[in-house]
């Protein structure tokens, strides 16, 4: 495998795999219902080996029905947002771009707010968030296609405009919403959380996430070429327009799916790819697996903090920006010095 | 062989150049001369297909390339734009390896073989020592050489360059031209725009003079490119001096101000 070049130790992804495994296992024992390592191991092993049951039923429920879906959700959301950020940054040739540059989050927020306003079920909220995220990006893409000049600039500008349009719709719904229960629900959704995630939600979102991840992984080398200027990329033989469309579709599927179960979680799509580039360089052949592993680990870690820090859950979006922003400043300063 | 036939180019309905005709064969170095804004870049971009030609044809080995895909074009022509930047800190070897893009099928990444071809390209330009350096940290001259290495890795017979010697110091300009001459001697075709007539005198097998929407083709500029041509081209009084140096006649262009 290319990513495990022997003469270049820096590009090995093994440390990130180990990091993810450690955080993954730790996450099961953390929480309001502490489970010690030994019991945890036994509970896991009992699924494959015939071990005599020496623990209460509650433990099994906590591990497999409460914590497992949530842990998987944190991994999926973290990797989706981080990977979308990483590929968008390359495509827009700007390391400060985040996954919602094409208004996917704004669209999802509108969908969710609308669903909450009309008192839909959790599944309804998720479906609306997912669909409107895609609708927003589709609008951005098709309008920008009408602009003949610089395609990248057109996407960015239309993205900002459509984003602000959907944001004002969200404000309008909040203004009209019932202040007793609906307004708080919308506000809480906008702050992001994984507290209500269930196993069936995971099944539903893992399909679009997988559908987005595979093409991006297949295109990993071409994404490098896409970071060059449009003209250079084309003259090197890359159909830049087509690849761009695949990247937009893939990222949108992943981000919309992630946001539909988690609400708005900022910063991660910006910070993780940046950290990845510092650790392994910009080559997408290594950066993609690195970003996936780091993004999953990071959000899992943050979610663990969110559910254990205080007796009441802290919204994820608040934590990611509380940790993300200072961390980003630290990265920039560190980079500026060297 | 590259043939440009009755090519008219411009943007939308606005014609910038009309009825351009010229041919470039294997071993040719074609120098495009003209003042700023005369349409040199437009001509180059139209040949590359970056601007859709308004009329006429571009042919390679007799086949019109207007409807070729980017991938097909890239195997025959490589292009080095006037300015190029890299936002991310790619290594030189990665940048050169990108020259192999047109040979990869849909899902593959560069193979060992592609890496060997990229190494050979760097070796032939004597920049193999830059292999693991960060591309955007290099000097202008080095970066230009890396782009040429990328074009060589592309293994296209034709290289088109927009002002390759721009922003280079005197030594690097000569180094660049020396390398381009070597490429031409190996049978490649070089087409480049330049601001110094001396480049055409020294290395050009052909010159294209771009002025007022027309392009004049001049064979063997060292012999046939005259003082009046250049005066007309740049609207400036100048004199072409001939120097005999080691049995070689060198021409120089000096402004008379």
């Amino acid at each position: 495998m290319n990513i495990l070049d022997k003469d270049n130790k820096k590009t090995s992804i093994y440390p990130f795999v180990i990091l993810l495994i450690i955080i993954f296992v730790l996450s099961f024992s953390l929480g309001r219902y502490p489970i010690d390592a030994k019991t945890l191991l036994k509970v896991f092993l009992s699924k494959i080996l015939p071990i005599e049951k020496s623990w209460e039923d509650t433990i099994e429920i906590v591990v497999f029905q409460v914590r497992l879906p949530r842990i998987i959700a944190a991994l999926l959301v973290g990797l989706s947002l981080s990977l979308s950020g990483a590929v968008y940054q390359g495509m827009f040739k700007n390391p400060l771009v985040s996954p919602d540059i094409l208004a996917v989050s704004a669209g999802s927020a509108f969908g969710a707010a609308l669903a909450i306003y009309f008192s839909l079920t959790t599944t309804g909220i998720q479906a609306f968030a997912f669909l409107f995220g895609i609708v927003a990006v589709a609008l951005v893409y098709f309008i920008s296609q009408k602009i003949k000049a610089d395609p990248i600039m057109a996407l960015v500008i239309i993205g900002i405009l459509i984003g602000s349009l959907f944001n004002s719709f969200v404000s309008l719904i909040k203004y009209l919403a019932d202040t007793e229960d609906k307004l708080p629900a919308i506000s809480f959704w906008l702050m992001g959380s994984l507290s209500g995630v269930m196993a069936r939600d995971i099944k539903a979102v893992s399909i679009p996430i997988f559908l987005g991840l595979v093409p991006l992984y297949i295109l990993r080398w071409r994404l490098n070429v896409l970071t060059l200027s449009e003209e250079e990329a084309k003259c090197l033989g890359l159909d830049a327009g087509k690849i761009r469309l695949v990247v937009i579709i893939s990222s949108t599927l992943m981000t919309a799916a992630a946001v539909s179960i988690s609400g708005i979680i900022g910063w991660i799509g910006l910070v993780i790819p940046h950290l990845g580039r510092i650790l392994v360089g910009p080559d997408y052949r290594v950066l993609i697996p690195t970003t996936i592993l780091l993004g999953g680990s990071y959000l899992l870690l943050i979610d663990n903090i969110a559910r254990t820090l205080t007796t009441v859950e802290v919204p994820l979006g608040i934590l990611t920006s509380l940790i993300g922003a200072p961390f980003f400043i630290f990265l920039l300063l560190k980079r500026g010095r060297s | 062989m590259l043939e440009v036939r009755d090519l008219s180019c411009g943007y939308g309905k606005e014609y910038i150049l009309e009825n351009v005709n010229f041919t470039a064969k294997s071993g040719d170095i074609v120098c495009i001369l003209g003042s700023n804004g005369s349409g040199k870049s437009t001509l180059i971009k139209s040949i590359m297909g970056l601007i859709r030609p308004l009329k006429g044809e571009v042919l390679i080995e007799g086949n019109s390339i207007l409807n070729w895909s980017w991938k097909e074009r890239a195997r025959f022509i490589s292009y080095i734009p006037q300015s190029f930047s890299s936002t991310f800190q790619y290594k030189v070897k990665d940048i050169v390896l990108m020259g192999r893009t047109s040979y990869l099928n849909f899902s593959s990444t560069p193979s060992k073989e592609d890496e060997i071809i990229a190494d050979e390209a760097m070796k032939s330009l004597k920049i193999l020592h830059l292999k693991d350096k960060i591309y955007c940290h290099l000097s202008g001259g080095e970066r230009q050489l890396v782009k040429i290495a990328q074009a060589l890795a592309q293994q296209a017979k034709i290289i088109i360059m927009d002002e390759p010697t721009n922003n280079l110091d005197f030594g690097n300009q000569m180094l660049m031209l020396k390398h381009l001459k070597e490429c031409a001697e190996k049978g490649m075709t070089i087409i480049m725009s330049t601001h110094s007539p001396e480049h055409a005198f020294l290395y050009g097998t052909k010159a294209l003079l771009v002025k007022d929407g027309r392009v004049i083709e001049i064979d063997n500029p060292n012999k046939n490119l005259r003082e009046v041509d250049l005066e007309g081209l740049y609207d400036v009084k100048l004199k072409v001096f001939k120097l005999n140096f080691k049995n070689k006649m060198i021409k120089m262009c000096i402004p008379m101000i």
Side-chain angles (χ1 to χ4, degrees):
Chain A
M1 260 210 297
N2 261 323
I3 42 175
L4 302 173
D5 254 352
K6 286 214 175 56
D7 56 342
N8 205 342
K9 283 227 167 58
K10 247 182 133 181
T11 54
S12 166
I13 58 163
Y14 284 139
F16 310 122
V17 176
I18 294 166
L19 177 77
L20 180 64
I21 292 172
I22 293 172
I23 297 177
F24 182 78
V25 173
L26 256 177
S27 305
F28 282 98
S29 56
L30 292 173
R32 232 170 300 160
Y33 193 101
I35 302 167
D36 62 273
K38 213 170 123 193
T39 322
L40 190 65
L41 191 70
K42 276 191 196 160
V43 172
F44 274 128
L45 285 179
S46 71
K47 285 280 160 184
I48 9 174
L49 302 171
I51 295 179
E52 202 184 323
K53 197 172 165 191
S54 61
W55 54 87
E56 295 165 51
D57 283 344
T58 336
I59 290 187
E60 226 176 292
I61 293 171
V62 167
V63 169
F64 290 111
Q65 280 168 39
V66 180
R67 289 191 189 156
L68 184 64
R70 186 154 181 173
I71 287 167
I72 304 286
L75 287 178
L76 287 177
V77 172
L79 78 86
S80 299
L81 295 175
S82 307
L83 184 56
S84 306
V87 296
Y88 270 177
Q89 286 162 12
M91 186 176 103
F92 288 102
K93 307 161 219 315
N94 184 343
L96 296 177
V97 157
S98 65
D100 44 335
I101 179 133
L102 299 184
V104 58
S105 310
S108 293
F110 170 71
L114 201 65
I116 296 169
Y117 183 78
F118 287 117
S119 315
L120 299 188
T121 57
T122 321
T123 316
I125 297 172
Q126 287 170 1
F128 266 55
F130 181 68
L131 287 177
F132 277 95
I134 289 173
V135 166
V137 177
L139 272 176
V140 172
Y141 185 78
F142 288 114
I143 296 174
S144 75
Q145 287 295 97
K146 302 271 174 220
I147 298 174
K148 288 280 173 282
D150 191 344
I152 293 287
M153 196 49 89
L155 277 171
V156 173
I157 291 170
I158 305 292
I160 292 170
L161 294 174
I162 297 288
S164 91
L165 208 60
F166 275 105
N167 281 328
S168 24
F169 287 145
V170 172
S171 301
L172 187 68
I173 295 174
K174 280 166 91 176
Y175 179 72
L176 296 172
D178 172 35
T179 49
E180 282 299 313
D181 53 351
K182 284 177 183 165
L183 183 59
I186 295 173
S187 301
F188 195 70
W189 192 91
L190 291 174
M191 285 188 260
S193 173
L194 290 170
S195 60
V197 172
M198 284 185 279
R200 65 179 160 83
D201 304 336
I202 307 288
K203 277 182 201 147
V205 297
S206 54
I207 296 164
I209 289 177
F210 184 74
L211 286 178
L213 191 123
V214 171
L216 292 179
Y217 186 71
I218 288 174
L219 287 175
R220 62 198 183 283
W221 166 258
R222 270 143 235 264
L223 292 175
N224 288 332
V225 184
L226 202 62
T227 66
L228 303 179
S229 75
E230 178 94 0
E231 294 182 348
E232 283 177 276
K234 282 178 174 170
C235 293
L236 286 171
L238 192 80
D239 194 335
K242 220 179 265 170
I243 303 275
R244 202 159 40 226
L245 180 61
V246 176
V247 170
I248 291 174
I249 292 174
S250 305
S251 299
T252 304
L253 280 175
M254 293 180 81
T255 311
V259 172
S260 76
I261 54 164
S262 71
I264 307 291
I265 298 175
W267 283 97
I268 179 165
L270 193 58
V271 176
I272 296 301
H274 218 81
L275 183 65
R277 267 188 215 100
I278 289 176
L279 294 170
V280 300
D283 186 346
Y284 280 103
R285 287 176 294 178
V286 199
L287 187 62
I288 285 185
T290 305
T291 310
I292 289 174
L293 293 165
L294 278 178
S297 310
Y298 177 76
L299 197 64
L300 189 49
L301 189 72
I302 301 271
D303 191 48
N304 286 339
I305 297 172
R307 63 191 173 90
T308 52
L309 194 64
T310 58
T311 44
V312 187
E313 275 218 26
V314 187
L316 264 184
I318 295 179
L319 276 182
T320 49
S321 53
L322 264 181
I323 297 170
F327 183 61
F328 201 62
I329 293 173
F330 165 76
L331 287 183
L332 288 178
L333 287 178
K334 200 167 163 260
R335 205 161 223 208
R337 237 179 274 139
S338 62
Chain B
M1 190 174 86
L2 178 86
E3 190 181 353
V4 171
R5 206 183 278 168
D6 296 325
L7 188 75
S8 293
C9 35
Y11 302 87
K13 287 202 173 80
E14 191 195 347
Y15 282 71
I16 292 178
L17 297 171
E18 281 186 82
N19 295 322
V20 181
N21 282 288
F22 75 90
T23 55
K25 292 191 210 49
S26 160
D28 265 344
I29 297 181
V30 181
C31 295
I32 307 175
L33 297 170
S35 57
N36 293 122
S38 58
K40 299 190 297 293
S41 297
T42 309
L43 175 60
I44 286 176
K45 284 181 184 175
S46 300
I47 295 172
M48 287 310 303
L50 291 166
I51 302 172
R52 185 130 190 114
L54 301 173
K55 243 169 57 192
E57 276 183 308
V58 178
L59 304 125
I60 288 178
E61 315 297 349
N63 302 309
S64 171
I65 67 165
L66 282 184
N67 294 316
W68 285 13
S69 68
W70 292 111
K71 197 171 172 169
E72 286 172 286
R73 280 166 194 263
R75 292 188 186 180
F76 287 90
I77 319 179
S78 49
Y79 165 66
I80 301 178
Q82 211 172 89
S83 61
F84 35 86
S85 61
S86 171
T87 317
F88 301 99
Q89 304 199 326
Y90 282 101
K91 287 181 180 166
V92 167
K93 60 178 179 191
D94 295 326
I95 297 283
V96 177
L97 209 47
M98 288 182 195
R100 302 299 300 160
T101 304
S102 58
Y103 296 93
L104 303 175
N105 65 36
F106 175 69
S107 62
S108 63
T109 60
S111 64
K112 261 259 107 55
E113 216 171 296
D114 292 315
E115 282 177 29
I116 291 167
I117 291 169
D119 278 1
E120 288 297 324
M122 286 185 272
K123 224 179 266 170
S124 73
L125 296 172
K126 302 187 178 63
I127 53 164
L128 196 60
H129 61 283
L130 298 177
K131 196 178 169 189
D132 287 306
K133 291 253 166 36
I134 304 289
Y135 173 67
C136 58
H137 292 171
L138 300 180
S139 72
E142 288 170 329
R143 259 186 295 181
Q144 189 68 264
L145 285 175
V146 172
K147 282 299 285 185
I148 295 182
Q150 189 188 53
L152 292 180
Q154 204 173 325
Q155 293 180 328
K157 280 269 188 287
I158 305 164
I159 301 184
I160 301 189
M161 308 173 88
D162 203 350
E163 293 179 22
T165 54
N166 229 8
N167 300 321
L168 296 187
D169 66 60
F170 189 72
N172 272 322
Q173 286 191 22
M174 294 306 130
L175 181 70
M176 182 74 42
L177 291 167
K178 196 190 88 178
H179 283 309
L180 292 180
K181 192 166 187 193
E182 282 166 9
C183 291
E185 278 161 2
K186 283 179 200 153
M188 294 173 75
T189 306
I190 312 288
I191 299 172
M192 57 178 233
S193 62
T194 173
H195 281 308
S196 25
E198 275 107 358
H199 293 164
F201 287 138
L202 262 175
Y203 297 101
T205 58
K206 240 174 211 187
L208 299 177
L209 309 187
V210 184
K211 177 153 180 152
D212 298 332
R214 317 214 149 268
V215 175
I216 300 162
E217 184 184 6
I218 292 181
D219 267 322
N220 192 3
N222 198 29
K223 205 173 135 206
N224 302 327
L225 184 58
R226 297 161 305 162
E227 232 166 62
V228 284
D229 297 327
L230 291 171
E231 280 189 339
L233 193 64
Y234 294 113
D235 285 324
V236 75
K237 281 244 164 276
L238 55 77
K239 203 133 191 82
V240 172
F241 286 98
K242 292 172 192 167
L243 295 171
N244 247 320
F245 182 69
K246 288 185 183 166
N247 290 330
K248 213 177 140 194
M249 217 242 308
I250 293 176
K251 279 189 174 179
M252 293 205 52
C253 179
I254 312 249
M256 296 282 115
I257 309 168

PDB file of all heavy atoms in Angstrom, chain A residues 26-35 62 67 304 307-308:
ATOM      1  N   LEU A  26     -12.734   2.980  25.355  1.00  0.00           N
ATOM      2  CA  LEU A  26     -12.939   3.812  26.545  1.00  0.00           C
ATOM      3  C   LEU A  26     -14.362   4.339  26.630  1.00  0.00           C
ATOM      4  O   LEU A  26     -14.959   4.402  27.709  1.00  0.00           O
ATOM      5  CB  LEU A  26     -11.985   5.009  26.487  1.00  0.00           C
ATOM      6  CG  LEU A  26     -10.766   4.966  27.399  1.00  0.00           C
ATOM      7  CD1 LEU A  26      -9.907   6.197  27.149  1.00  0.00           C
ATOM      8  CD2 LEU A  26     -11.199   4.907  28.862  1.00  0.00           C
ATOM      9  N   SER A  27     -14.898   4.698  25.452  1.00  0.00           N
ATOM     10  CA  SER A  27     -16.216   5.335  25.412  1.00  0.00           C
ATOM     11  C   SER A  27     -17.299   4.470  26.035  1.00  0.00           C
ATOM     12  O   SER A  27     -18.284   4.983  26.557  1.00  0.00           O
ATOM     13  CB  SER A  27     -16.610   5.648  23.969  1.00  0.00           C
ATOM     14  OG  SER A  27     -15.610   6.413  23.371  1.00  0.00           O
ATOM     15  N   PHE A  28     -17.129   3.128  25.968  1.00  0.00           N
ATOM     16  CA  PHE A  28     -18.148   2.239  26.524  1.00  0.00           C
ATOM     17  C   PHE A  28     -18.220   2.293  28.050  1.00  0.00           C
ATOM     18  O   PHE A  28     -19.270   2.103  28.634  1.00  0.00           O
ATOM     19  CB  PHE A  28     -17.885   0.796  26.081  1.00  0.00           C
ATOM     20  CG  PHE A  28     -18.311   0.531  24.677  1.00  0.00           C
ATOM     21  CD1 PHE A  28     -17.391   0.560  23.646  1.00  0.00           C
ATOM     22  CD2 PHE A  28     -19.650   0.283  24.381  1.00  0.00           C
ATOM     23  CE1 PHE A  28     -17.784   0.321  22.345  1.00  0.00           C
ATOM     24  CE2 PHE A  28     -20.048   0.039  23.078  1.00  0.00           C
ATOM     25  CZ  PHE A  28     -19.108   0.063  22.055  1.00  0.00           C
ATOM     26  N   SER A  29     -17.064   2.540  28.666  1.00  0.00           N
ATOM     27  CA  SER A  29     -17.080   2.493  30.129  1.00  0.00           C
ATOM     28  C   SER A  29     -17.412   3.846  30.748  1.00  0.00           C
ATOM     29  O   SER A  29     -17.698   3.938  31.933  1.00  0.00           O
ATOM     30  CB  SER A  29     -15.727   1.986  30.640  1.00  0.00           C
ATOM     31  OG  SER A  29     -14.710   2.798  30.145  1.00  0.00           O
ATOM     32  N   LEU A  30     -17.394   4.903  29.911  1.00  0.00           N
ATOM     33  CA  LEU A  30     -17.692   6.242  30.435  1.00  0.00           C
ATOM     34  C   LEU A  30     -19.194   6.498  30.455  1.00  0.00           C
ATOM     35  O   LEU A  30     -19.927   5.962  29.632  1.00  0.00           O
ATOM     36  CB  LEU A  30     -17.027   7.305  29.568  1.00  0.00           C
ATOM     37  CG  LEU A  30     -15.503   7.366  29.609  1.00  0.00           C
ATOM     38  CD1 LEU A  30     -15.009   8.359  28.572  1.00  0.00           C
ATOM     39  CD2 LEU A  30     -15.015   7.740  30.999  1.00  0.00           C
ATOM     40  N   GLY A  31     -19.614   7.316  31.419  1.00  0.00           N
ATOM     41  CA  GLY A  31     -21.022   7.693  31.446  1.00  0.00           C
ATOM     42  C   GLY A  31     -21.585   7.628  32.847  1.00  0.00           C
ATOM     43  O   GLY A  31     -20.882   7.275  33.803  1.00  0.00           O
ATOM     44  N   ARG A  32     -22.876   7.949  32.937  1.00  0.00           N
ATOM     45  CA  ARG A  32     -23.499   8.025  34.256  1.00  0.00           C
ATOM     46  C   ARG A  32     -23.628   6.646  34.901  1.00  0.00           C
ATOM     47  O   ARG A  32     -23.856   6.510  36.079  1.00  0.00           O
ATOM     48  CB  ARG A  32     -24.865   8.700  34.146  1.00  0.00           C
ATOM     49  CG  ARG A  32     -24.976   9.850  35.137  1.00  0.00           C
ATOM     50  CD  ARG A  32     -26.214  10.661  34.847  1.00  0.00           C
ATOM     51  NE  ARG A  32     -26.171  11.206  33.487  1.00  0.00           N
ATOM     52  CZ  ARG A  32     -27.269  11.606  32.846  1.00  0.00           C
ATOM     53  NH1 ARG A  32     -28.444  11.475  33.394  1.00  0.00           N
ATOM     54  NH2 ARG A  32     -27.169  12.130  31.641  1.00  0.00           N
ATOM     55  N   TYR A  33     -23.511   5.634  34.072  1.00  0.00           N
ATOM     56  CA  TYR A  33     -23.590   4.276  34.592  1.00  0.00           C
ATOM     57  C   TYR A  33     -22.230   3.625  34.336  1.00  0.00           C
ATOM     58  O   TYR A  33     -22.011   3.007  33.290  1.00  0.00           O
ATOM     59  CB  TYR A  33     -24.696   3.513  33.861  1.00  0.00           C
ATOM     60  CG  TYR A  33     -25.083   2.212  34.501  1.00  0.00           C
ATOM     61  CD1 TYR A  33     -26.238   2.119  35.279  1.00  0.00           C
ATOM     62  CD2 TYR A  33     -24.296   1.071  34.341  1.00  0.00           C
ATOM     63  CE1 TYR A  33     -26.592   0.923  35.867  1.00  0.00           C
ATOM     64  CE2 TYR A  33     -24.642  -0.125  34.926  1.00  0.00           C
ATOM     65  CZ  TYR A  33     -25.798  -0.201  35.689  1.00  0.00           C
ATOM     66  OH  TYR A  33     -26.146  -1.385  36.274  1.00  0.00           O
ATOM     67  N   PRO A  34     -21.271   3.805  35.251  1.00  0.00           N
ATOM     68  CA  PRO A  34     -19.901   3.351  34.983  1.00  0.00           C
ATOM     69  C   PRO A  34     -19.810   1.829  34.885  1.00  0.00           C
ATOM     70  O   PRO A  34     -20.461   1.114  35.654  1.00  0.00           O
ATOM     71  CB  PRO A  34     -19.090   3.869  36.165  1.00  0.00           C
ATOM     72  CG  PRO A  34     -20.035   4.481  37.116  1.00  0.00           C
ATOM     73  CD  PRO A  34     -21.421   4.328  36.615  1.00  0.00           C
ATOM     74  N   ILE A  35     -19.040   1.372  33.923  1.00  0.00           N
ATOM     75  CA  ILE A  35     -18.830  -0.064  33.770  1.00  0.00           C
ATOM     76  C   ILE A  35     -17.324  -0.297  33.796  1.00  0.00           C
ATOM     77  O   ILE A  35     -16.589   0.347  33.059  1.00  0.00           O
ATOM     78  CB  ILE A  35     -19.406  -0.562  32.429  1.00  0.00           C
ATOM     79  CG1 ILE A  35     -20.904  -0.241  32.349  1.00  0.00           C
ATOM     80  CG2 ILE A  35     -19.156  -2.048  32.241  1.00  0.00           C
ATOM     81  CD1 ILE A  35     -21.500  -0.400  30.979  1.00  0.00           C
ATOM     82  N   VAL A  62     -27.219  -1.081  28.527  1.00  0.00           N
ATOM     83  CA  VAL A  62     -26.442   0.161  28.448  1.00  0.00           C
ATOM     84  C   VAL A  62     -25.393   0.053  27.350  1.00  0.00           C
ATOM     85  O   VAL A  62     -25.244   0.941  26.500  1.00  0.00           O
ATOM     86  CB  VAL A  62     -25.781   0.489  29.811  1.00  0.00           C
ATOM     87  CG1 VAL A  62     -24.722   1.578  29.637  1.00  0.00           C
ATOM     88  CG2 VAL A  62     -26.832   0.935  30.809  1.00  0.00           C
ATOM     89  N   ARG A  67     -25.124   2.895  24.562  1.00  0.00           N
ATOM     90  CA  ARG A  67     -23.823   3.459  24.193  1.00  0.00           C
ATOM     91  C   ARG A  67     -23.372   3.107  22.785  1.00  0.00           C
ATOM     92  O   ARG A  67     -22.845   3.966  22.070  1.00  0.00           O
ATOM     93  CB  ARG A  67     -22.775   3.043  25.232  1.00  0.00           C
ATOM     94  CG  ARG A  67     -23.048   3.796  26.527  1.00  0.00           C
ATOM     95  CD  ARG A  67     -21.991   3.697  27.555  1.00  0.00           C
ATOM     96  NE  ARG A  67     -22.537   4.298  28.792  1.00  0.00           N
ATOM     97  CZ  ARG A  67     -22.114   4.011  29.993  1.00  0.00           C
ATOM     98  NH1 ARG A  67     -21.131   3.145  30.163  1.00  0.00           N
ATOM     99  NH2 ARG A  67     -22.657   4.598  31.031  1.00  0.00           N
ATOM    100  N   ASN A 304     -18.026  12.135  24.363  1.00  0.00           N
ATOM    101  CA  ASN A 304     -17.819  11.581  25.706  1.00  0.00           C
ATOM    102  C   ASN A 304     -17.799  12.697  26.748  1.00  0.00           C
ATOM    103  O   ASN A 304     -18.384  12.574  27.823  1.00  0.00           O
ATOM    104  CB  ASN A 304     -16.498  10.808  25.775  1.00  0.00           C
ATOM    105  CG  ASN A 304     -16.601   9.468  25.064  1.00  0.00           C
ATOM    106  OD1 ASN A 304     -17.700   8.957  24.868  1.00  0.00           O
ATOM    107  ND2 ASN A 304     -15.467   8.923  24.663  1.00  0.00           N
ATOM    108  N   ARG A 307     -21.340  14.074  27.354  1.00  0.00           N
ATOM    109  CA  ARG A 307     -22.288  13.314  28.181  1.00  0.00           C
ATOM    110  C   ARG A 307     -21.773  13.013  29.587  1.00  0.00           C
ATOM    111  O   ARG A 307     -22.526  12.500  30.416  1.00  0.00           O
ATOM    112  CB  ARG A 307     -22.729  12.033  27.464  1.00  0.00           C
ATOM    113  CG  ARG A 307     -21.652  11.023  27.185  1.00  0.00           C
ATOM    114  CD  ARG A 307     -22.171   9.938  26.225  1.00  0.00           C
ATOM    115  NE  ARG A 307     -21.091   9.051  25.833  1.00  0.00           N
ATOM    116  CZ  ARG A 307     -20.773   7.945  26.504  1.00  0.00           C
ATOM    117  NH1 ARG A 307     -21.446   7.608  27.568  1.00  0.00           N
ATOM    118  NH2 ARG A 307     -19.764   7.200  26.103  1.00  0.00           N
ATOM    119  N   THR A 308     -20.523  13.318  29.886  1.00  0.00           N
ATOM    120  CA  THR A 308     -20.023  13.033  31.232  1.00  0.00           C
ATOM    121  C   THR A 308     -19.661  14.277  32.029  1.00  0.00           C
ATOM    122  O   THR A 308     -19.506  14.215  33.240  1.00  0.00           O
ATOM    123  CB  THR A 308     -18.771  12.124  31.192  1.00  0.00           C
ATOM    124  OG1 THR A 308     -17.830  12.713  30.306  1.00  0.00           O
ATOM    125  CG2 THR A 308     -19.116  10.736  30.731  1.00  0.00           C
TER     126      THR A 308
END
